[in-house]
Amino acid sequence: MRLVKTIRELKQELEPIRRSGVTVGFVPTMGYLHEGHLSLMRKSVEECGFTVVSIFVNPTQFGPGEDYDRYPRDLERDLSMCESVGVDLVFAPGVSEMYEPDACTRVTVSGLTQNLCGRSRPGHFDGVTTVVCKLFNMVRPDRAYFGQKDAQQVAVVRRMVRDLNIPVEVREMPTVREPDGLAMSSRNVYLSPDQRRAALSLHRSLRTAADMIEKGERSAAKIRERMIDIILSSGLAELDYVEIVDADSLRNIDTLKGEVLIAVAVKFGQTRLIDNIKVVVH
Amino acid sequence: MRLVKTIRELKQELEPIRRSGVTVGFVPTMGYLHEGHLSLMRKSVEECGFTVVSIFVNPTQFGPGEDYDRYPRDLERDLSMCESVGVDLVFAPGVSEMYEPDACTRVTVSGLTQNLCGRSRPGHFDGVTTVVCKLFNMVRPDRAYFGQKDAQQVAVVRRMVRDLNIPVEVREMPTVREPDGLAMSSRNVYLSPDQRRAALSLHRSLRTAADMIEKGERSAAKIRERMIDIILSSGLAELDYVEIVDADSLRNIDTLKGEVLIAVAVKFGQTRLIDNIKVVVH
């Protein structure tokens, strides 16, 4: 496995790969890898001849007062995890390699970013789409792998790819969970033991929603009410949102129908966690 | 020469070209071609193994009340002009082929679009950068050719390419002029004979500016004053702007130094014309 830190080296490494016609898979990450990331890498290694992973904590997708500075970082550990699953190339640039001092170009997906995390993290998705567009142009992958845990992110990246005609196939892989149901996240390390226990209410609320739907409930209001009860009864939770939206447009719906995304965002102390499920309702 | 109207056909035509390793040159246009466009195509044919021209009057770069509907169009004539200079492939999509009904992604270059045409045509450059980004992703050219007549457009596209790491070389070619000095433009056909005569004041004002600089003048205010005099004395001109800016940042300067862009925009009746020169001042 090769590690490169500059765009120039990245291009040098990728040129012969591309010329050989091998399929390139790409997993963009902010590092501090966990099983969720590894599942994306394994899929890429399985499906593609060459797998590139980027590790870059992107400052432009953090708002003021968010956790950019204290976001966990451990490159050594990340590299050995990448190597263990057969990644071919890791791209780990510094901030000044990624952004010129007078950079002034932004990619904005306006339609899907008003709701959910877009509402509580203004500017966040502009940071995401701009850096992902840059990385796609650097790596020029055939396929890129994203986790369903960040469902809105995948929807927004998918829309950008379609609208800008970026020649990449976006693959969305299932959320990987701890044995007790907590969705894997680099931010889970922030949690105290009490918060860690309270955080299980996210998954519990989503499972309850799935049960209600299976039993025939179609009212978004009733499902949300029950979910909010479960989350708040965990004691330590400060609710950001519990939303039931159309999985494609991300617009709120009153009555469940078609592919539905049920998404939650909750703060435990300083730590903001998100989780979701998708359900197809007939 | 091949003509294609869909993205699917475009990709089919380009795939074997790309695989063969031939250099692809690209000239994006809004059609109604003139010698300025042809000079770009000739350069591409000279420098690249395969030349693609797009012909697309892009609605998103026209503001309300601008000339989108009456912008001149003549595909038959355009095609024979392309063929005459050795273009290999023309891509002439319709609006619905280029934009999905729910398209919501925008590429914005904020730094260089506040001044000059950006000031009088709000949103114009978002339309330009978004469509050029899309076309670059469809064609994936090695080199793209733009005319200096749209100097701000070239600067903005160049900045987008740099900031988004788009793997294309942007080539800027000199403005092509009529024998009497009028810069070639598809919009020149709008001009009445009187307006056509008055429009010569643009080039005359720029030549006068170049003379003043050669004779030692370094004050932007004095040069602008003389240029405005010349343009207004033509009688029919409604001034939009006469600006002297740094050629890279496009910011106004008081004292001429380094590479300087002198740019004018003037309306003659409903017809808005632009022109410019670049001067290196020691």
Side-chain angles (χ1 to χ4, degrees), chain A residues 7 100 102-111 130 134 137-138 140 159-160 162-167, chain B residues 7 100 102-111 130 133-134 137-138 140 159-160 162-167:
Chain A
I7 299 166
E100 298 278 344
D102 58 349
C104 56
T105 306
R106 209 172 56 247
V107 180
T108 304
V109 177
S110 53
T130 303
K134 285 166 67 70
N137 281 328
M138 293 172 194
R140 295 188 137 190
R159 184 60 67 96
M160 169 183 77
R162 190 204 66 176
D163 284 352
L164 295 183
N165 310 90
I166 301 175
Chain B
I7 299 166
E100 299 278 343
D102 58 348
C104 56
T105 305
R106 207 171 58 245
V107 180
T108 304
V109 176
S110 53
T130 303
C133 181
K134 286 166 67 70
N137 282 328
M138 293 172 195
R140 294 189 137 190
R159 184 60 67 94
M160 170 183 77
R162 190 204 66 176
D163 285 352
L164 296 183
N165 309 90
I166 301 175

Side-chain angles (χ1 to χ4, degrees), chain B:
Chain B
M1 190 182 77
R2 287 273 294 154
L3 165 67
V4 296
K5 300 202 170 189
T6 66
I7 299 166
R8 175 188 293 264
E9 291 169 289
L10 177 69
K11 292 196 167 163
Q12 273 170 5
E13 292 287 329
L14 285 172
E15 208 178 271
I17 305 298
R18 235 179 254 122
R19 254 207 313 269
S20 73
V22 165
T23 304
V24 175
F26 177 47
V27 184
T29 81
M30 298 211 301
Y32 213 72
L33 305 174
H34 52 64
E35 270 300 317
H37 300 108
L38 293 185
S39 74
L40 305 178
M41 296 175 197
R42 284 195 197 97
K43 196 70 184 176
S44 174
V45 169
E46 180 194 319
E47 293 184 344
C48 306
F50 194 89
T51 292
V52 181
V53 170
S54 65
I55 297 179
F56 179 60
V57 184
N58 175 35
T60 70
Q61 70 192 69
F62 289 80
E66 288 188 0
D67 57 346
Y68 172 66
D69 286 328
R70 62 187 192 106
Y71 196 86
R73 293 158 167 93
D74 189 342
L75 185 60
E76 284 308 306
R77 184 168 152 276
D78 289 345
L79 292 176
S80 62
M81 289 174 81
C82 289
E83 181 131 45
S84 74
V85 294
V87 167
D88 298 288
L89 180 63
V90 172
F91 174 52
V95 172
S96 64
E97 181 69 13
M98 285 295 283
Y99 295 107
E100 299 278 343
D102 58 348
C104 56
T105 305
R106 207 171 58 245
V107 180
T108 304
V109 176
S110 53
L112 304 175
T113 55
Q114 310 309 308
N115 206 350
L116 308 177
C117 292
R119 193 190 302 274
S120 29
R121 305 184 70 188
H124 167 67
F125 284 112
D126 283 9
V128 170
T129 45
T130 303
V131 81
V132 170
C133 181
K134 286 166 67 70
L135 289 166
F136 281 174
N137 282 328
M138 293 172 195
V139 177
R140 294 189 137 190
D142 299 286
R143 298 199 184 101
Y145 298 79
F146 294 85
Q148 191 199 313
K149 210 262 286 169
D150 301 299
Q152 187 174 17
Q153 174 174 281
V154 191
V156 167
V157 167
R158 237 189 240 292
R159 184 60 67 94
M160 170 183 77
V161 162
R162 190 204 66 176
D163 285 352
L164 296 183
N165 309 90
I166 301 175
V168 64
E169 183 193 343
V170 173
R171 307 268 281 125
E172 178 173 355
M173 308 311 291
T175 301
V176 178
R177 298 178 181 281
E178 303 285 356
D180 59 7
L182 183 69
M184 297 258 184
S185 165
S186 305
R187 290 188 170 98
N188 289 349
V189 295
Y190 295 149
L191 298 170
S192 71
D194 281 354
Q195 291 171 336
R196 173 74 180 69
R197 263 188 299 277
L200 291 177
S201 62
L202 269 64
H203 183 232
R204 208 152 53 224
S205 75
L206 292 165
R207 269 196 355 240
T208 301
D211 282 351
M212 291 173 77
I213 295 165
E214 202 173 320
K215 285 177 185 142
E217 185 60 74
R218 294 295 178 265
S219 156
K222 288 199 180 142
I223 296 168
R224 285 186 68 229
E225 195 181 351
R226 184 83 193 87
M227 291 177 70
I228 292 171
D229 270 357
I230 292 171
I231 293 169
L232 291 183
S233 71
S234 77
L236 300 170
E238 185 196 327
L239 208 66
D240 180 345
Y241 64 75
V242 171
E243 299 286 6
I244 300 181
V245 301
D246 179 83
D248 186 47
S249 72
L250 305 190
R251 288 210 193 99
N252 286 82
I253 51 178
D254 295 326
T255 305
L256 278 68
K257 197 174 185 312
E259 199 185 5
V260 171
L261 172 68
I262 308 180
V264 300
V266 177
K267 278 185 93 169
F268 296 93
Q270 290 298 300
T271 306
R272 186 176 175 279
L273 300 182
I274 58 175
D275 200 352
N276 71 81
I277 55 169
K278 286 186 187 175
V279 187
V280 179
V281 182
H282 301 287

Side-chain angles (χ1 to χ4, degrees), chain A residues 216-235:
Chain A
E217 185 60 74
R218 295 294 178 265
S219 155
K222 288 199 178 140
I223 296 169
R224 286 187 68 229
E225 194 182 353
R226 183 83 193 88
M227 291 177 70
I228 292 171
D229 270 357
I230 292 171
I231 293 168
L232 292 183
S233 71
S234 76

